[in-house]
Amino acid sequence: MSSTEPEGPPVPLTTRQRGPRRRTVRLRTLLVCLAVVPTVAMGTQTVLTAERLLDQSAHLRADVAASEHTGVPLYTLLVDLQAERTASAALWAGSPGAEQELRQRRQATDRAAAEFRRAAAEAGVSVGEVVRQLGDLAVYRGRADARTGTPDTLLAYYTALVNEIIRVYQHEFSHSEDAELTQASRPVVSLLSASEMMARQDALLALAGPSRELSAGAFDQFTSAVGAQRYLYETWVVPYLPERDRRFYERITTSPAWETKTRIENAIIFENKDSDTGIRLPSDVGEWRAAHASFSMQMAAPSTSTGPGRSSPWARRRRTGCRPRWPG
């Protein structure tokens, strides 16, 4: 035996090759796993992300469709109810021409209510409480015509109905998981609420009528509405308005009509006089109606100047997927 040959029986070639081949297979498998497993994981994450985005997109589309289909007639109903509330207060107070105006306001409300019911039924939006409260409208109209009950109860009915409509806007036309939509829609409910505070002021001053007198309770409601609308505008509306709308708002608040509004509010709060039957308002209150008509129309302009027919405060959403930024 040669000294260079290893001791022991010769090892078959096939046996010598087996070890390296097994090691090669294991290494190849490991490399494949290192490549495939992260790819599968990334693919799974992509699918989950896509599903989430698609789900958000579906919610947004549903939200936009609901606001276009139901939000517009609901907003029209809100405005008409506010106007009917003021006309009802004027009728109760015996103001000249109140009957004819109230008749027109009621017709407008009836048209808006019919359109809203039709749209809500087709869209499937949860507005059952609004429909239920609308069912009592004829009863309260009869009380206004006969002047039965109290004017506070009459106005409270309209106020509760308007508040329910605002609640529908707040809860039915947005999805909280969409952060961008939530941010964009932040001032809308505050705008609706602030506008409602001024509409209440309008109704209460109509209730004062030719005598320019309010009960202590009605006067307290007026002062509360003034404080609420000023707070809402300053704290929850103006800070969240885009720059263009903020400039528009500043033009309104420096207009003669808005200055008249503020002057009358301050005069009512600080220059009123007690009487045997209530609280007598200063003579400045006679300028309220013209001023209110002027600035309320101006405040509708940012939302009504861009939509189809230039009449809908929800028209911006048709193009942007966002809620309107400025209700009337």
Side-chain angles (χ1 to χ4, degrees):
M1 175 180 295
S2 170
S3 60
T4 61
E5 293 181 355
E7 295 183 359
V11 179
L13 182 59
T14 56
T15 303
R16 287 200 302 268
Q17 291 174 342
R18 230 174 252 153
R21 182 177 299 172
R22 283 198 299 271
R23 286 195 299 273
T24 301
V25 170
R26 287 198 297 270
L27 180 60
R28 183 181 297 117
T29 302
L30 179 60
L31 291 173
V32 170
C33 288
L34 289 174
V36 171
V37 171
T39 303
V40 172
M42 289 176 64
T44 303
Q45 180 63 34
T46 301
V47 170
L48 293 175
T49 302
E51 288 180 350
R52 178 174 59 83
L53 292 175
L54 287 172
D55 187 53
Q56 288 182 351
S57 178
H59 282 168
L60 180 58
R61 287 195 301 270
D63 199 20
V64 172
S67 70
E68 289 181 348
H69 194 72
T70 309
V72 172
L74 186 60
Y75 179 80
T76 302
L77 177 61
L78 181 149
V79 173
D80 287 335
L81 283 168
Q82 290 172 332
E84 182 176 330
R85 176 178 56 189
T86 296
S88 299
L91 177 71
W92 196 289
S95 296
E99 269 187 54
Q100 181 179 356
E101 181 175 356
L102 180 56
R103 190 180 307 112
Q104 295 172 351
R105 297 300 186 184
R106 286 177 176 178
Q107 290 173 354
T109 299
D110 289 341
R111 289 192 297 268
E115 177 62 19
F116 158 69
R117 287 190 178 99
R118 183 193 62 76
E122 294 175 357
V125 178
S126 179
V127 290
E129 183 60 21
V130 175
V131 173
R132 187 194 69 77
Q133 291 188 33
L134 277 174
D136 297 328
L137 184 58
V139 174
Y140 284 91
R141 285 175 171 176
R143 293 179 182 178
D145 293 339
R147 291 178 178 78
T148 57
T150 66
D152 291 344
T153 302
L154 175 67
L155 299 190
Y157 163 75
Y158 286 98
T159 298
L161 184 49
V162 168
N163 285 341
E164 182 61 25
I165 292 175
I166 294 175
R167 188 205 66 79
V168 171
Y169 278 120
Q170 185 174 12
H171 295 290
E172 299 298 335
F173 294 144
S174 69
H175 293 285
S176 60
E177 67 271 18
D178 192 315
E180 184 178 356
L181 180 59
T182 300
Q183 177 68 23
S185 65
R186 178 173 291 180
V188 173
V189 173
S190 298
L191 280 164
L192 288 173
S193 298
S195 297
E196 163 60 5
M197 292 301 107
M198 284 195 289
R200 289 185 197 179
Q201 292 173 230
D202 191 40
L204 289 165
L205 293 183
L207 186 61
S211 68
R212 304 202 321 267
E213 284 193 359
L214 286 176
S215 67
F219 179 79
D220 288 343
Q221 291 179 44
F222 181 87
T223 56
S224 296
V226 172
Q229 58 97 354
R230 291 181 180 182
Y231 173 79
L232 286 167
Y233 278 126
E234 293 173 5
T235 306
W236 293 105
V237 175
V238 176
Y240 299 102
L241 287 175
E243 183 60 29
R244 184 186 65 178
D245 287 351
R246 187 178 294 116
R247 291 196 302 269
F248 191 94
Y249 173 81
E250 289 172 354
R251 288 199 299 272
I252 294 175
T253 55
T254 56
S255 69
W258 191 272
E259 291 175 354
T260 299
K261 160 199 170 295
T262 304
R263 174 172 55 81
I264 293 172
E265 289 171 342
N266 292 337
I268 290 172
I269 294 172
F270 299 111
E271 299 175 18
N272 63 83
K273 296 180 180 179
D274 292 338
S275 68
D276 294 338
T277 55
I279 297 177
R280 187 169 178 81
L281 308 181
S283 59
D284 296 21
V285 73
E287 303 174 45
W288 169 269
R289 186 169 187 180
H292 179 264
S294 177
F295 66 72
S296 60
M297 288 180 63
Q298 292 179 59
M299 294 180 75
S303 58
T304 59
S305 61
T306 56
R310 301 181 184 273
S311 60
S312 167
W314 295 86
R316 288 185 61 84
R317 188 168 186 170
R318 188 185 301 272
R319 298 203 316 259
T320 63
C322 296
R323 289 176 181 243
R325 296 186 295 189
W326 201 281

